[in-house]
């Protein structure tokens, strides 16, 4: 007779995969925020590209400086997006490995653990890049003191 896992075994696999699934929901929210920030940076860069062609002197220099900051922000945000998506893919692989291990009675716990650690490391790196991008964006904006009085 063919092997058929017990319902309790499948229930255990589902229960074990719930934490990674919640992690996927959090990564999805992070991806949404990162994509929104990237979209705003791109929109601003398009406006500045038009201004760049139409200005000279100090206005032109300001546009160039802001375009440089925006280029850096785009690069950082792209890296954060790549790491967040990679974390999500790794998390999906962890869930798949959990089910395969339970259903086929494979002993791959070390691979599941390594996959989860890699997914978390990628998520941490993505959050770090997000924090860096926010820092770059806030330091680029300086409100003159006379406007605050």
């Amino acid at each position: 007779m063919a092997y058929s896992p017990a319902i309790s075994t499948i229930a255990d696999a589902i229960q074990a995969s719930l934490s990674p699934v919640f992690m996927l929901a959090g990564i999805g929210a992070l991806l949404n925020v990162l994509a929104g920030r990237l979209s705003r940076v791109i929109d601003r860069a398009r406006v500045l590209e038009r201004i760049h062609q139409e200005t000279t002197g100090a206005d032109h220099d300001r546009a160039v400086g802001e375009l440089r900051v925006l280029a850096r922000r785009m690069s950082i945000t792209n890296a954060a997006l790549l790491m967040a998506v990679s974390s999500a893919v790794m998390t999906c692989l962890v869930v798949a490995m959990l089910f395969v291990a339970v259903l086929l009675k494979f002993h791959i716990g070390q691979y599941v653990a390594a996959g989860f650690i890699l997914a978390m490391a990628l998520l941490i790196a993505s959050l770090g890049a997000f924090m860096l991008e926010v820092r770059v964006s806030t330091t680029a904006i300086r409100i003159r003191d006379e406007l605050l009085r």
Side-chain angles (χ1 to χ4, degrees):
M1 183 161 162
Y3 166 72
S4 178
I7 296 296
S8 62
T9 302
I10 294 171
D12 289 343
I14 291 170
Q15 188 175 20
S17 67
L18 282 180
S19 292
V21 170
F22 283 119
M23 186 170 137
L24 279 174
I27 293 170
L30 176 62
L31 287 171
N32 189 33
V33 169
L34 289 170
R37 291 184 73 84
L38 183 60
S39 177
R40 292 184 61 130
V41 169
I42 289 170
D43 290 345
R44 179 66 182 150
R46 286 182 179 148
V47 168
L48 282 171
E49 285 173 348
R50 284 192 297 274
I51 291 171
H52 178 271
Q53 295 172 355
E54 300 167 359
T55 60
T56 58
D59 289 338
H60 182 78
D61 293 342
R62 264 194 297 277
V64 169
E66 193 172 341
L67 280 168
R68 284 188 180 125
V69 170
L70 292 175
R72 183 164 184 234
R73 287 181 61 196
M74 280 190 279
S75 176
I76 295 167
T77 304
N78 277 326
L81 280 163
L82 175 66
M83 289 181 283
V85 168
S86 298
S87 177
V89 168
M90 198 67 231
T91 303
C92 290
L93 288 173
V94 165
V95 171
M97 285 190 295
L98 282 169
F99 274 95
V100 167
V102 168
L103 294 177
L104 301 179
K105 294 187 177 183
F106 288 162
H107 300 286
I108 57 171
Q110 69 274 17
Y111 299 112
V112 172
F116 189 73
I117 290 167
L118 178 59
M120 288 302 293
L122 287 164
L123 180 57
I124 290 166
S126 178
L127 290 168
F130 173 62
M131 188 170 56
L132 176 62
E133 191 274 334
V134 169
R135 180 83 175 140
V136 168
S137 71
T138 56
T139 55
I141 304 296
R142 293 286 179 217
I143 300 172
R144 295 187 317 256
D145 286 336
E146 64 267 14
L147 294 175
L148 300 173
R149 294 182 186 148

